C-alpha cells in the first residue's frame, strides 16, 4: 500500500569546518492521511532537519520525500510549517498576517469576499476573532502562536508540520493550545508531524510517537503506537494505566539513549571532563573546600536549567536577572516546566542540565534507578513556603464542627477529622486532597498533619498529584477539597474567593527544607567546576533575596510572564513576610514564610535527607530495609556547598547532621570560630527526630505503613 506521505530512505550530510557531518542516516517513515505523528528525541539529534526536509526547505543527500505520489523538491503551501517562534510580521495586524497567506494560496481560486471569510473562519477556529485588528506585539505569546497556527491551517495544507509549537508557552496556555489542536485535528483530519520535548504532549496528541536515536547519523529508534480512543480527555487519561504505560515507554527510551550515547558522540565528548568512576560522587580531590577562589575553567558554560512557576523559583530568576550566572562565566537559559514529573524526566534524560527540585526528588531517584538517573544536590534553595488551603465549603463545615483553634495545625486537623467522620456516617465520598508530587514536603507534611488527628491519609481521604499552577483550577472545578502547595497558589485561590488557607507548612515543621538545586550524578561528575559555579551564583542570589529591601524587586522579576506569571500584589503578600489566609481578612505576619538564606538555609543537611527518607518508609514508598544514611550520603553533597560557600567567604556548618524538633526559637550553632544563627525546628506534635535512629523515630507514630497498620501502601493517584 502506498503511504500518503513517505519519508523514504532519507540521509543527509552537511559540510562543516571539521569535514562532512552525517546528521540523518536512512530515516524511513510512512504516514497515513489524517495521522498525527510526534517526533521526539534528544536535542540536536536531527528532528528539525527531518521536518525541514519534509517541508522542502532542505534537500536530502540520499532518498527523498513523496507526498501523494509526488516527490517533494521545494517548499509549498501543501506543507505548512509552524515554528516555536510564531514568526508573524510585526507590522501587520492579526487579520492581515493570516490574510497574506490566504491571498498567496487562493488568489486564483477564491474571490475577495471568500478570502476575507476564509481568513476570519480560520482565526475563529483558534479563538482569535476578538483581536483581528491588533498587532502581534499587542497580544500574548499564546495568542501569537494561535495566529501562527491559523495561518498554517488557512493554507489548507495536506500536511501540518510543527516544530516545538508550544515550547515557549506557559503551561496553562499550552494546555489550551493542545486542546484546541486536538479539536481542530478531529474536525479537519489534517495529517500532522509535530516535534515536541514534552512526553505528556506527545502521548496526549499522537497516533504514533516516533523516537529518534542520538546523532550523528540519527535514524528512527522506535515507533510507539498510541491506541487511546479519541476524543481524548487529559484529566481522565491522567489516571489511565495505558496512558501511563505509553508515557513510561517514551521516558524509558529517552533515558536509555542518554545512558548509552552513540559511540561517535562519546568520542566527540569534551576531553576536559573529569573522570570520577566511583559509585558515589564526591568532588574531585583537587577541589578542596575553603579556597577563596572560584574555578575558572568551566567544563560547560551554556546551561539550560528548569524551574516551576512558584515564588520559590526566585533564586534561579534572581541569579539570571541580576547577572550572577554571568558573573561566574555561565550563560543560562531558564526553562519553565509544566510539572515536577517533567522536571525529573528532563533532568534524567539530559534535556536540562539541572533544575529546581523538591528536596525529596533526588532522594527518590536513588530508590528508583530503573526509571531515573541517580541525582545529587549541593544546595538547598529555601526553607518553608507551603500552605494548606481548603475549599470555602469544606472550611464552612470545619467551622461548624465547633472545634477550637482552626488556625492551628492540631485544631484544623481535628476539625477535618470530624468532617470526614460525618461523611463516613452519611456514606458520602471521601474528600480529595492534592499535593504536587509523591516525593515532596507537601505530601509528607500534609500526611503528618492529617495523621496527627488520627486521619489515615491512605484510607480516609483520596490523595492525588496536581502540578502547583493548576491546583486552584481543580479546587474551582470541585475535583478536590483542599491541597498543600507553594506560593502564589494559596494566595491566588484566596484572592479569587475559591478557598481559605488553614495553616502554613512552617506550622507543621518549623523551617523545613523545601527546594534544592539538583543535577544527575553523571552531570556532576563530568562538570564539577560548572556545578560549583552554578551553586555560587545561586547562593549569592539567595543571600540577595534575604535582604529585606530586595523582596519587592524580586516580586517584579517573578511576576513576568516567562517566570511565575502572576500579579505583583499576589506575589508580594507571601514574599514580603505576610500571608493572606482569607479574603475577608488582612494578611497575617509570616516572617519566615520563605527563608532563602538565613539560618544556614542553603546547607544540604544530610539529616534533612534522612527525615525525607523516613517519611518514604513511613508511607510505604520505600521498603523498611533501605539504608537512609547511605542514600543521604550518595545524594546530599555538603562538600559542593562548602566549596562554593568558601569561595564566596560565606560560613558553612562543619557537621552534616543536626537534630530536629529541639528548638522552639532561634539558636546558635558553633562552626569553628564562628557561630551560625539557626532557626526554630519544632514539629507540630513535639516529636524529636534523630537521624541516627530512624526505626525508633517511626515507632513513635501510630499511623504508619511500616508497622503493618490498615490501608494499602502507595495508594497514590498520579493525576498529571
Ligand atoms: P534537533 O531539531 O533534533 O534538535 P537539528 O535537526 O536542528 O536537531 O540538528 C541536528 C544536527 O545537525 C545538529 O548537530 C546541528 O548542528 C546539525 N545541523 C543542522 N543544520 C545544519 C547545517 N545547515 N549545517 C551543518 N550542521 C547542521
Ligand atoms: Mg530542533
Amino acid at each position: 500500500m502506498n503511504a500518503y506521505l513517505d519519508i523514504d530512505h532519507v540521509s543527509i550530510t552537511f559540510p562543516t569546518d571539521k569535514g562532512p557531518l552525517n546528521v540523518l542516516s536512512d530515516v524511513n517513515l510512512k504516514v497515513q492521511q489524517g495521522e498525527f505523528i510526534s517526533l521526539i528525541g534528544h536535542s540536536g539529534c536531527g528532528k528539525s532537519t527531518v521536518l525541514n526536509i519534509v517541508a522542502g526547505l532542505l534537500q536530502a543527500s540520499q532518498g527523498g520525500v513523496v507526498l501523494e505520489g509526488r516527490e517533494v523538491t521545494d517548499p509549498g503551501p501543501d506543507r505548512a510549517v509552524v515554528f516555536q517562534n510564531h514568526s508573524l510580521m510585526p507590522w501587520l495586524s492579526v487579520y492581515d498576517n493570516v490574510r497574506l497567506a490566504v491571498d498567496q494560496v487562493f488568489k486564483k481560486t477564491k474571490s475577495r469576499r471568500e478570502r476575507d471569510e476564509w481568513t476570519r473562519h480560520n482565526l475563529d477556529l483558534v479563538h482569535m476573532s476578538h483581536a483581528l485588528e491588533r498587532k502581534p506585539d499587542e497580544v500574548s505569546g499564546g495568542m501569537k502562536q494561535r495566529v501562527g497556527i491559523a495561518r498554517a491551517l488557512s493554507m489548507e495544507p495536506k500536511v501540518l508540520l510543527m516544530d516545538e509549537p508550544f515550547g515557549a508557552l506557559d503551561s496553562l496556555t499550552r494546555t489550551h493550545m493542545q486542546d484546541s489542536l486536538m479539536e481542530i485535528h478531529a474536525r479537519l483530519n489534517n495529517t500532522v508531524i509535530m516535534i515536541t520535548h514534552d512526553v505528556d504532549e506527545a502521548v496526549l496528541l499522537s497516533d504514533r510517537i516516533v523516537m529518534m536515536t542520538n546523532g550523528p547519523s540519527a535514524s528512527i529508534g522506535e515507533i510507539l503506537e498510541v491506541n487511546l480512543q479519541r476524543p481524548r480527555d487529559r484529566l481522565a487519561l491522567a489516571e489511565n494505566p495505558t496512558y501511563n504505560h505509553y508515557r513510561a515507554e517514551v521516558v524509558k527510551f529517552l533515558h536509555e539513549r542518554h545512558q548509552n550515547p552513540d559511540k561517535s558522540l562519546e568520542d566527540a565528548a569534551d576531553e576536559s571532563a573529569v573522570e570520577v568512576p566511583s559509585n558515589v560522587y564526591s568532588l574531585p580531590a583537587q577541589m578542596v573546600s575553603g579556597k577563596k577562589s572560584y574555578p575558572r575553567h568551566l567544563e560547560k558554560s551554556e546551561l539550560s536549567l528548569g524551574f516551576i512557576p512558584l515564588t520559590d523559583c526566585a533564586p534561579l530568576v534572581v541569579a539570571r536577572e541580576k547577572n550572577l550566572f554571568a558573573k561566574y562565566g555561565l550563560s543560562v537559559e531558564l526553562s519553565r516546566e509544566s510539572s515536577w514529573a517533567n522536571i525529573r524526566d528532563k533532568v534524567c534524560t539530559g534535556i536540562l542540565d539541572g533544575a529546581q527540585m523538591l528536596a525529596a526528588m533526588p532522594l527518590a531517584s536513588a530508590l528508583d534507578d530503573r526509571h531515573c538517573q541517580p541525582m545529587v544536590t549541593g544546595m538547598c534553595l529555601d526553607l518553608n513556603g507551603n500552605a494548606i488551603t481548603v475549599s470555602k465549603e469544606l472550611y464552612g463545615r470545619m467551622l461548624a464542627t465547633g472545634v477550637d483553634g482552626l488556625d492551628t495545625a492540631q485544631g484544623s486537623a481535628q476539625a477535618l477529622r470530624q468532617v470526614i467522620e460525618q461523611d463516613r456516617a452519611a456514606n458520602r465520598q471521601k474528600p480529595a486532597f492534592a499535593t504536587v508530587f509523591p516525593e515532596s514536603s507537601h505530601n509528607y507534611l500534609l500526611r503528618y498533619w492529617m495523621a496527627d488527628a488520627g486521619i489515615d491519609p491512605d484510607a480516609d481521604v483520596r490523595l492525588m498529584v496536581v502540578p502547583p499552577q493548576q491546583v486552584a483550577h481543580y479546587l474551582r472545578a470541585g475535583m478536590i477539597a483542599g491541597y498543600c502547595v507553594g506560593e502564589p497558589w494559596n494566595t491566588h485561590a484566596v484572592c479569587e474567593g475559591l478557598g481559605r488557607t488553614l495553616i502554613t507548612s512552617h506550622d507543621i515543621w518549623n523551617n523545613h527544607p523545601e527546594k534544592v538545586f539538583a543535577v544527575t550524578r553523571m552531570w556532576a561528575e563530568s562538570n564539577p567546576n560548572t556545578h560549583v559555579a552554578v551553586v555560587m551564583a545561586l547562593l549569592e542570589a539567595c543571600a540577595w533575596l534575604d535582604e529585606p529591601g530586595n523582596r519587592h524587586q524580586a516580586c517584579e522579576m517573578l511576576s513576568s510572564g516567562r517566570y511565575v506569571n502572576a500579579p505583583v500584589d499576589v506575589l508580594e503578600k507571601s514574599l514580603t513576610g505576610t500571608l493572606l489566609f482569607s479574603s475577608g481578612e488582612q494578611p497575617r505576619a509570616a516572617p519566615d514564610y520563605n527563608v532563602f538564606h538565613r539560618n544556614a538555609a542553603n546547607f544540604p543537611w544530610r539529616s534533612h535527607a534522612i527525615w525525607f527518607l523516613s517519611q518514604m518508609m513511613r508511607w510505604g514508598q520505600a521498603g523498611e530495609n533501605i539504608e537512609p544514611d547511605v542514600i543521604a550520603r550518595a545524594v546530599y553533597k555538603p562538600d559542593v556547598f562548602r566549596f562554593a560557600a568558601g569561595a564566596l567567604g560565606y560560613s558553612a556548618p562543619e557537621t552534616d547532621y543536626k537534630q530536629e524538633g529541639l528548638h522552639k526559637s532561634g539558636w546558635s550553632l558553633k562552626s569553628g570560630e564562628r557561630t551560625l544563627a539557626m532557626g526554630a525546628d519544632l514539629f507540630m506534635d513535639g516529636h524529636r527526630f534523630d537521624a541516627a535512629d530512624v526505626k525508633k523515630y517511626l515507632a513513635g507514630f501510630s499511623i504508619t505503613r511500616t508497622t503493618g497498620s490498615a490501608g494499602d501502601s502507595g495508594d497514590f493517584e498520579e493525576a498529571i
Side-chain angles (χ1 to χ4, degrees), residues 417 420 424 430-431 454-462 703:
R417 180 186 171 163
I420 291 172
R424 187 180 295 137
K430 301 175 210 171
I455 300 168
D456 184 332
D458 290 311
D460 300 335
V461 295
R462 290 176 297 140
I703 299 184

Side-chain angles (χ1 to χ4, degrees), residues 379-649:
M379 86 176 276
C380 181
L381 294 172
D382 58 325
L383 307 178
N384 309 315
N386 304 320
I388 297 176
T389 294
V390 296
S391 68
K392 286 230 154 140
E393 193 219 330
L394 176 54
Y395 185 71
R397 294 187 58 202
M398 288 169 69
L399 262 183
T401 62
V403 172
D404 278 343
L406 274 198
D407 56 354
T408 66
Q410 290 189 306
S412 53
Q414 284 297 343
L416 176 64
R417 180 186 171 163
Q418 294 206 6
V419 172
I420 291 172
E421 279 168 2
Q422 291 165 9
D423 283 347
R424 187 180 295 137
N427 233 343
R428 282 193 287 255
Q429 210 184 18
K430 301 175 210 171
F433 278 80
T435 67
V436 298
F437 195 69
E439 287 91 9
S440 62
S441 68
H442 313 64
N443 183 25
Y444 303 135
L445 294 177
L446 184 79
R447 283 167 175 263
Y448 199 102
W449 170 71
M450 289 179 172
D452 181 71
I455 300 168
D456 184 332
D458 290 311
D460 300 335
V461 295
R462 290 176 297 140
L463 290 181
M464 66 196 300
V465 171
V466 176
Q469 62 275 30
Q470 294 187 8
V471 288
H473 302 291
Y474 276 63
L475 196 67
R476 188 198 303 269
M479 295 179 64
I480 51 176
Y483 54 71
C484 181
V485 72
E487 279 298 292
W489 309 116
N490 296 288
T491 303
H492 173 71
V494 170
C495 290
E496 296 278 302
L498 300 172
R500 156 95 197 195
T501 298
L502 295 175
I503 54 167
T504 68
S505 55
H506 181 277
D507 297 330
I508 304 171
W509 179 16
N510 301 164
N511 293 307
H512 65 84
E514 180 47 32
K515 305 293 182 336
V516 294
F517 173 73
V519 297
T520 64
R521 190 174 76 204
M522 198 155 83
W523 190 96
E525 283 169 0
S526 311
N527 305 285
N529 289 346
T530 308
H531 192 189
V532 167
V534 175
V535 170
M536 287 173 72
L538 290 172
L539 269 175
E540 268 202 60
C542 286
W544 183 89
L545 274 162
D546 262 6
E547 293 294 328
N550 292 337
R551 291 282 179 103
H552 174 76
Q553 202 184 333
C555 292
E556 288 185 336
M557 290 177 201
L558 289 168
S559 169
S560 143
R562 54 201 286 225
Y563 300 131
V564 181
N565 199 14
V568 172
D569 61 320
V570 168
L571 296 170
E572 259 182 352
K573 295 212 168 58
S574 64
L575 262 189
T576 57
T578 62
L579 194 70
L580 184 66
F581 285 72
S582 151
S583 49
E585 282 177 11
Q586 287 300 310
R588 296 185 208 161
D592 290 335
Y593 192 82
N594 287 113
V595 175
F596 288 104
H597 187 67
R598 289 175 285 131
N599 300 339
N602 303 120
F603 189 71
W605 291 99
R606 286 184 164 152
S607 43
H608 283 167
I610 294 173
W611 187 83
F612 284 122
L613 290 160
S614 79
Q615 300 307 294
M616 294 179 192
M617 293 162 81
R618 179 175 183 188
W619 302 116
Q621 290 176 332
E624 277 176 79
N625 298 325
I626 62 165
E627 292 183 87
D629 192 41
V630 173
I631 298 170
R633 284 169 184 274
V635 179
Y636 271 47
K637 295 293 169 193
D639 281 2
V640 173
F641 177 90
R642 289 200 183 98
F643 187 86
L648 289 168

Side-chain angles (χ1 to χ4, degrees), residues 226-533:
V226 182
N227 290 311
L228 294 168
Q229 247 182 331
R230 292 182 188 274
R232 295 178 185 167
D233 169 357
R234 71 174 67 243
L235 292 181
L237 284 178
E239 289 169 25
N240 177 329
T242 318
Y243 173 90
N244 284 307
H245 163 77
Y246 290 137
R247 188 183 194 287
E249 285 293 304
V250 179
V251 170
K252 192 167 130 236
F253 177 88
L254 292 173
H255 176 55
E256 281 165 4
R257 286 292 136 197
H258 184 70
Q259 280 201 316
N260 308 307
D262 299 44
K263 194 123 202 84
S264 42
L265 268 191
E266 223 166 48
D267 296 342
D270 184 1
E271 295 131 29
S272 63
V274 179
E275 267 184 50
V276 186
S278 75
N279 195 26
V280 173
Y281 164 74
S282 53
L283 269 184
Q286 70 269 27
M287 294 175 76
V288 281
S289 75
K291 266 196 193 165
K292 290 228 171 4
S293 67
Y294 66 89
R296 293 197 182 265
H297 163 73
L298 298 178
E299 300 85 359
K300 189 168 185 196
S301 61
E302 289 186 8
L303 304 179
S304 181
L305 305 180
F307 72 96
I308 293 283
L310 285 163
T311 51
D312 67 6
C313 70
L316 284 93
V317 171
V318 166
R320 184 158 196 282
E321 295 291 315
K322 304 286 295 175
N323 293 321
L324 298 170
F325 286 129
K327 180 171 169 187
Y328 298 106
L330 300 165
S331 162
V332 172
E333 180 201 327
L334 292 182
S335 174
R336 182 183 151 126
E337 298 295 334
S338 54
S339 67
W340 291 112
N342 255 12
I343 290 249
R344 176 198 56 202
D345 295 346
K346 288 190 177 180
V347 171
C348 280
T349 53
I351 292 170
L352 293 172
D353 292 285
Q356 170 200 27
M357 275 191 207
L358 299 157
M361 280 170 73
L363 296 163
S365 76
L367 296 172
D368 180 17
D369 55 5
R370 269 188 324 131
H371 295 100
C372 197
Q373 284 274 333
M375 294 193 257
V376 298
T377 175
M379 86 176 276
C380 181
L381 294 172
D382 58 325
L383 307 178
N384 309 315
N386 304 320
I388 297 176
T389 294
V390 296
S391 68
K392 286 230 154 140
E393 193 219 330
L394 176 54
Y395 185 71
R397 294 187 58 202
M398 288 169 69
L399 262 183
T401 62
V403 172
D404 278 343
L406 274 198
D407 56 354
T408 66
Q410 290 189 306
S412 53
Q414 284 297 343
L416 176 64
R417 180 186 171 163
Q418 294 206 6
V419 172
I420 291 172
E421 279 168 2
Q422 291 165 9
D423 283 347
R424 187 180 295 137
N427 233 343
R428 282 193 287 255
Q429 210 184 18
K430 301 175 210 171
F433 278 80
T435 67
V436 298
F437 195 69
E439 287 91 9
S440 62
S441 68
H442 313 64
N443 183 25
Y444 303 135
L445 294 177
L446 184 79
R447 283 167 175 263
Y448 199 102
W449 170 71
M450 289 179 172
D452 181 71
I455 300 168
D456 184 332
D458 290 311
D460 300 335
V461 295
R462 290 176 297 140
L463 290 181
M464 66 196 300
V465 171
V466 176
Q469 62 275 30
Q470 294 187 8
V471 288
H473 302 291
Y474 276 63
L475 196 67
R476 188 198 303 269
M479 295 179 64
I480 51 176
Y483 54 71
C484 181
V485 72
E487 279 298 292
W489 309 116
N490 296 288
T491 303
H492 173 71
V494 170
C495 290
E496 296 278 302
L498 300 172
R500 156 95 197 195
T501 298
L502 295 175
I503 54 167
T504 68
S505 55
H506 181 277
D507 297 330
I508 304 171
W509 179 16
N510 301 164
N511 293 307
H512 65 84
E514 180 47 32
K515 305 293 182 336
V516 294
F517 173 73
V519 297
T520 64
R521 190 174 76 204
M522 198 155 83
W523 190 96
E525 283 169 0
S526 311
N527 305 285
N529 289 346
T530 308
H531 192 189
V532 167

Side-chain angles (χ1 to χ4, degrees), residues 43-241:
S43 207
C45 71
K47 302 177 297 293
S48 296
T49 306
V50 171
L51 212 73
N52 287 336
I53 293 173
V54 177
L57 295 163
L58 280 173
Q59 198 64 50
S61 315
Q62 278 153 36
V65 175
V66 178
L67 174 58
E68 274 199 317
R70 288 183 51 189
E71 178 154 15
V72 167
T73 50
D74 295 304
D78 56 347
R79 285 152 289 127
V81 191
V82 179
F83 295 106
Q84 187 181 78
N85 299 319
H86 52 85
S87 58
L88 300 181
M89 313 268 184
W91 58 90
L92 293 181
S93 68
V94 161
Y95 173 91
D96 285 333
N97 263 287
V98 178
R99 179 65 189 260
L100 188 70
V102 170
D103 283 346
Q104 277 165 356
V105 179
F106 299 108
K107 192 142 218 149
K108 296 193 182 126
T109 51
K110 286 189 200 288
S111 71
R112 230 167 203 289
R113 221 189 98 205
E114 283 169 338
R115 278 181 268 141
D116 172 61
E117 280 170 4
W118 183 240
T119 303
R120 290 172 190 275
H121 167 76
N122 278 283
L123 281 162
D124 198 37
L125 270 183
V126 297
H127 308 296
M128 282 301 294
S129 299
H130 64 288
L132 296 180
E133 292 317 315
R134 292 207 220 146
K135 296 275 163 61
D137 272 355
E138 296 162 358
V139 300
S140 68
M143 290 187 193
K144 284 198 266 265
Q145 202 60 355
R146 281 193 250 164
V147 178
I149 291 173
R151 182 178 57 184
L153 290 171
S154 74
M155 296 154 73
E156 280 199 319
K158 290 177 180 156
V159 184
L160 189 58
L161 302 169
M162 309 179 95
D163 194 345
E164 296 191 50
F166 311 137
L169 305 178
D170 66 80
S171 62
L172 259 187
T173 314
R174 195 177 176 123
T175 306
H176 289 311
M177 295 297 295
Q178 290 165 349
D179 289 342
S180 33
L181 185 57
M182 279 196 286
E183 181 194 309
I184 289 168
H185 180 246
R187 222 184 308 171
L188 307 179
N189 199 34
N190 321 72
T191 308
V192 184
I193 303 183
M194 178 182 77
I195 297 176
T196 178
H197 270 141
D198 185 324
V199 176
D200 288 301
E201 181 170 283
V203 180
L204 181 67
L205 297 177
S206 316
D207 297 308
R208 285 191 289 160
I209 301 175
V210 173
M211 294 175 267
M212 291 187 61
T213 63
N214 294 350
S217 304
S219 65
I220 291 173
E222 278 176 37
I223 299 184
L224 183 73
E225 274 200 40
V226 182
N227 290 311
L228 294 168
Q229 247 182 331
R230 292 182 188 274
R232 295 178 185 167
D233 169 357
R234 71 174 67 243
L235 292 181
L237 284 178
E239 289 169 25
N240 177 329

